[in-house]
Amino acid sequence: MLLNKIGKLFLRSLFVLLLIAVGFTDVAEAQRGVFPSLGGSRSGTSGFQFLKINVDARSSGLAASNVADVADGSALYFNPALAVQADQSQVYLAHTAYFTDISLNYASYIHKFNTIALGGSLMYLDSGEMEETDETNPLGTGRIFRTTHLAAGASLSHQLSELFSYGLSAKYIEERIEEVHAQSVVFDIGFFYRVGDTGLRFAIGLNNFGMDATPYGETIRPSYEGDIVEDEFEDTSPPTMFLIGAAYDAYEDDNFKLLLTGQLSNPSDNAERFSVGSELTYIERFMLRVGYEFGVDEAILPSAGVGFVLPVLDNSLGIDYGYSTRNRLGNIHRLAVKFNL
């Protein structure tokens, strides 16, 4: 009986995911007139690329399709409007084992005051030590350098009614590559709407919208004519991202709950991509997740993940793991821990 129920849930999820995919394809075509695709002309032209790396293990398992269903500490990264939708105040910690031993760490805290939530977040990426190479020394010049990236933010989320909330984040961002520094301030703004008791909800977000940064410092480049000191750099802009997503509670009984998610992402420096995901929850304690990204050449295989909720004293501890892969670059592992207060 249990296997039959899981099979029916799986077939239902496939059907609804197809409906969501068709609907978002129509939205993607319609929104191009308002938010034109810049992928062909501006690919790779923005700085602060670390802001685009997914920090959340749950979202990774859903292929980054859950901007409309982020009711935990990761809301401060995806959509601050959902921070107030969290059940309780929460401490959130996440680690991403990125490509070539690069590590990305994220921490946030949400404090709820009835219909208002305040939050703070910190995102830090460290490349580790790397050996410099150039056209004359492909095996290394013997010079060691590293790059670090930081984003520190403060957020406000307000629930106007049981159906609607909005949120705003302000973030200080910084990059350091060798002795060259770049700093700026960016903003995230998000909106969330619940369609009554239908189980359907929508979210819209505009992330990393802010001022260009002027890098400063100097770096030395070897050449056949001797070392060259470079100390003049072009301004760099943050990678602004427009997000629109939907989430739907497709099925629920005493033991099982099936969630379907879909999201359209339109970055200012690349082509649009569309992702879908599904999460199956058993007795509110164990979660299985799967998702797929369309429009990402390297995303050949689906993403997957698991989650656990453990009772701790009078509160709960959540543990999430997410796995995704890129065809040539390799696998990405994410782990997140969240503690409700």
Side-chain angles (χ1 to χ4, degrees):
M1 182 179 296
L2 179 60
L3 293 177
N4 289 336
K5 181 175 290 188
I6 293 176
K8 291 179 181 178
L9 290 177
F10 179 73
L11 292 175
R12 180 179 296 192
S13 68
L14 285 178
F15 176 72
V16 180
L17 283 174
L18 287 174
L19 293 179
I20 293 176
V22 172
F24 268 95
T25 301
D26 293 340
V27 171
E29 293 296 331
Q31 62 90 36
R32 284 194 179 105
V34 180
F35 298 94
S37 172
L38 302 175
S41 60
R42 294 194 60 194
S43 180
T45 57
S46 295
F48 304 101
Q49 289 292 301
F50 76 102
L51 294 173
K52 296 163 60 177
I53 302 175
N54 192 343
V55 302
D56 181 43
R58 176 176 182 261
S59 177
S60 174
L62 294 170
S65 64
N66 62 319
V67 69
D69 190 82
V70 202
D72 58 24
S74 65
L76 302 187
Y77 172 82
F78 293 103
N79 185 349
L82 279 95
V84 74
Q85 300 294 329
D87 295 331
Q88 299 171 262
S89 298
Q90 185 182 95
V91 175
Y92 176 93
L93 302 171
H95 172 75
T96 298
Y98 209 52
F99 307 121
T100 63
D101 297 327
I102 295 174
S103 63
L104 172 66
N105 295 294
Y106 181 84
S108 67
Y109 173 67
I110 294 175
H111 193 88
K112 288 197 64 177
F113 301 93
N114 296 322
T115 61
I116 292 178
L118 300 178
S121 62
L122 182 65
M123 181 180 181
Y124 182 75
L125 182 145
D126 187 352
S127 69
E129 291 186 344
M130 298 184 290
E131 186 173 2
E132 179 188 63
T133 62
D134 58 28
E135 61 274 15
T136 60
N137 297 280
L139 299 180
T141 65
R143 182 184 177 200
I144 303 299
F145 72 99
R146 73 191 309 143
T147 171
T148 60
H149 310 259
L150 171 73
S155 304
L156 167 68
S157 181
H158 182 205
Q159 183 174 345
L160 289 177
S161 70
E162 294 182 357
L163 304 179
F164 179 78
S165 63
Y166 67 92
L168 175 69
S169 295
K171 297 185 292 188
Y172 166 79
I173 57 175
E174 176 183 284
E175 286 189 326
R176 298 189 179 192
I177 303 175
E178 296 184 16
E179 299 303 320
V180 179
H181 300 184
Q183 301 158 338
S184 186
V185 175
V186 296
F187 299 90
D188 299 345
I189 184 170
F191 302 92
F192 171 78
Y193 179 71
R194 189 187 308 274
V195 187
D197 297 326
T198 64
L200 180 64
R201 45 209 181 273
F202 296 96
I204 295 176
L206 183 65
N207 293 352
N208 307 320
F209 177 78
M211 300 175 288
D212 291 354
T214 301
Y216 63 92
E218 65 178 33
T219 183
I220 299 175
R221 293 285 180 261
S223 72
Y224 292 112
E225 300 176 354
D227 291 345
I228 299 175
V229 177
E230 298 183 5
D231 57 7
E232 295 183 2
F233 309 95
E234 296 182 359
D235 288 355
T236 181
S237 59
T240 303
M241 179 85 71
F242 172 76
L243 307 172
I244 180 170
Y248 178 59
D249 295 324
Y251 178 85
E252 184 172 5
D253 63 16
D254 293 338
N255 294 321
F256 290 96
K257 180 179 179 181
L258 179 66
L259 170 71
L260 303 176
T261 56
Q263 178 177 317
L264 178 70
S265 305
N266 188 339
S268 63
D269 61 349
N270 214 320
E272 298 89 350
R273 64 181 187 270
F274 171 66
S275 53
V276 294
S278 180
E279 177 182 69
L280 180 64
T281 301
Y282 177 63
I283 61 173
E284 300 293 335
R285 297 296 184 191
F286 177 68
M287 286 73 71
L288 287 174
R289 304 174 182 119
V290 65
Y292 189 78
E293 295 177 274
F294 299 89
V296 180
D297 294 337
E298 288 289 307
I300 305 299
L301 299 175
S303 301
V306 296
F308 305 89
V309 177
L310 307 174
V312 178
L313 299 177
D314 295 330
N315 299 303
S316 64
L317 175 69
I319 302 174
D320 293 318
Y321 168 76
Y323 171 84
S324 57
T325 183
R326 293 294 183 261
N327 188 35
R328 286 169 291 186
L329 293 175
N331 304 325
I332 308 174
H333 303 275
R334 292 180 173 89
L335 181 67
V337 178
K338 45 197 175 186
F339 183 70
N340 291 327
L341 302 178

